[in-house]
Amino acid sequence: MPKTYNNVYSYMRELLCRNTGWTLRSLRVPALALLLSPVWGVGGAATASAQETPVTLEEVRRMAAEGHPDVLAARARSDAAFREWDVARAYRLPSLAAEFDAVRSTDPVAAFGSRLRQGRFTEADFAPHRLNEPDALGDWGAGLGLEWAPLDPAASSVARASEALARAAGLGSDWAARAAAFRAELHYLESVGAEAHLHAARTSAQAARENLRVTERRMEEGLATEVDVLQARAARENARAEVIRAERQIRDSRERLGLALGWDGDRIPVPADRDFPSLPVSTRTLAARDVEGRPDLQASRARLVASASRVEEARRQRLPSMEGFARVGTHAHAPLSSPEANWTLGLRVRLPLFTGGALTNRVQALEAERLATRKEHDFLVREAEVEMGEAIRALESAEDALGAAVAAARASGEAARLMRRRYEQDLATAADLVTVESRAARDAAREVSAATSRAMAAARVRFLTATHDRPETPNSGDSR
């Protein structure tokens, strides 16, 4: 009759003593509590209150591309860049401003000018003492001012640079969305692989339990030794440990998937798919794809255009600029008195003659920055080409490895089945069976790992071959 225990604590104490050779007196409670803490503490509390939510692969891609914090931040930066572009091209339209001022002063020049503007100047105001020491005079003024710079070569270059930076930010936002979707897809595939690994581990554990049952029965019949039973029991415990590890991997992969989706800890995503997706195109087709169509490389090229426009803007500061201005205003000595109106209309042409070398140094600095941007862009393109080649070769290798792993798993599984039959017929030893069963379990796990690696390699190839068809001139700012 099996022994009964009052609680789990008593069972774990005796189990630990039986496996380690300790006595109940030498076994201290803190040590056992330390061993049990991962089971009773962190593992259960982390997911006890979380709600499991089934998700498909397409839903995972979409939710990550729409709601991940990195994507939201990139979109905010893109919107800010388009606003800056609006600011940079605002010079094309005239600016209108309303003015109001109230002044009270005993300054001779202010008093003289204010009387003239108010239309209250008399012959007595020419008296020397009134000119030198005037009484305090108030002036209430209001007006409208208009300014417009129809010719400003430097400002037009600034606008082009801002346009290129806005386009780069928009492309960067698109790439951030694709990157977030790719990361979420990897974690999704990892979670699917973890579930497949758990299924394989449970199958192996079931076989190990059956082997132990048969071995114990054979020992009762005198056909097996205690060593055979101990080996079968060790194989069962190893298989059970593999199940525990697979269950932990599932929890870890699901939490990482939730983090990739930008979810809070109150929801845990559960993959609805059980099969890995296949790559829709061949590697030969992928090898001919142009990597420069990727949004991140297009964004780098746009930043290069912006850098060149900044150099052009610095050089154009040597050219003349023209600005027109107009003003209509009124002046009165009191708020409710009759105002005197006046207007001003003018044209200003500005040509820098000497700046102390500031323009020359700025051109040289921006030219060096443009050269650095060019070098960085060329390196990014080359790096993308190498990365693409690596991804294609990794996919081809993963496909070959998956084929080999499937063949090995089938062969070792059939070998384990035959060896189990031979063992039941007393034609093989328990050690032979344990060896073959262990190899079958390892090969089954390798098949799952190979399938996961192949799916991830295919996802990486899809991600690296993503192109962008956005027009050269962004439309986001046109509506504002």
Side-chain angles (χ1 to χ4, degrees), residues 15 119 140 168 176 184 198 210 213 233 246 306 327 354-355 389 459 478:
L15 180 63
W140 296 77
L198 176 61
E210 180 63 19
R213 185 187 66 80
R233 186 172 298 163
R327 186 182 186 281
F354 178 71
T355 60
D478 294 343

Side-chain angles (χ1 to χ4, degrees), residues 386-419:
V386 172
E387 189 176 15
M388 186 64 206
E390 290 177 350
I392 293 177
R393 289 190 295 272
L395 176 58
E396 294 173 345
S397 176
E399 289 177 343
D400 295 339
L402 176 58
V406 170
R410 289 178 180 176
S412 60
E414 181 65 15
R417 186 185 67 82
L418 295 177
M419 182 61 69

Side-chain angles (χ1 to χ4, degrees), residues 148-151 321-326 344-350:
W148 183 36
L151 178 62
S321 61
M322 182 174 61
E323 178 183 4
F325 56 92
T344 303
L345 182 64
L347 179 68
R348 181 186 300 114
V349 177
R350 182 176 180 275

